[in-house]
């Protein structure tokens, strides 16, 4: 799980330079848990694209709303 989190963090860091980049977080074969710390790596107004079955903590959902980050589930 730590490797997945590090990989996701590195992807987010590379994409943060785009003003309104869409962020794709891919789950491999299991459900992924998105936390507040994952959301803190995004810029306000970005999109977060997740796979069906991914889990978002209540605090992460609050941060999405506060920072006007659009959640898209594919």
């Amino acid at each position: 799980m730590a490797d997945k989190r590090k990989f996701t963090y590195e992807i987010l860091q590379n994409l943060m330079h785009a003003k309104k980049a869409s962020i794709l977080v891919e789950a491999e074969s299991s459900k992924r848990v998105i936390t507040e710390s994952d959301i803190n790596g995004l810029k306000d107004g970005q999109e977060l694209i997740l796979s069906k079955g991914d889990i978002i903590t209540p605090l992460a959902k609050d941060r999405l709303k506060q920072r006007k980050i659009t959640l898209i589930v594919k």
Side-chain angles (χ1 to χ4, degrees):
M1 179 86 173
D3 289 336
K4 288 182 185 178
R5 187 174 210 127
K6 181 179 178 184
F7 177 74
T8 300
Y9 178 79
E10 289 172 2
I11 289 173
L12 294 175
Q13 290 296 316
N14 290 334
L15 293 173
M16 282 179 58
H17 297 291
K19 190 171 186 178
K20 281 202 160 200
S22 294
I23 305 300
L24 174 62
V25 178
E26 292 185 37
E28 288 181 5
S29 61
S30 62
K31 294 181 181 179
R32 174 151 170 81
V33 177
I34 305 301
T35 66
E36 177 194 19
S37 62
D38 296 317
I39 303 306
N40 288 339
L42 304 174
K43 288 187 178 183
D44 293 351
Q46 284 186 311
E47 295 176 337
L48 176 62
I49 303 172
L50 303 174
S51 299
K52 270 188 175 178
D54 288 348
I55 299 168
I56 303 174
T57 65
L59 186 54
K61 285 181 183 179
D62 290 343
R63 293 293 178 258
L64 287 171
K65 290 176 188 174
Q66 291 171 351
R67 301 191 46 217
K68 298 180 181 174
I69 296 171
T70 304
L71 178 62
I72 299 171
V73 180
K74 289 191 172 190

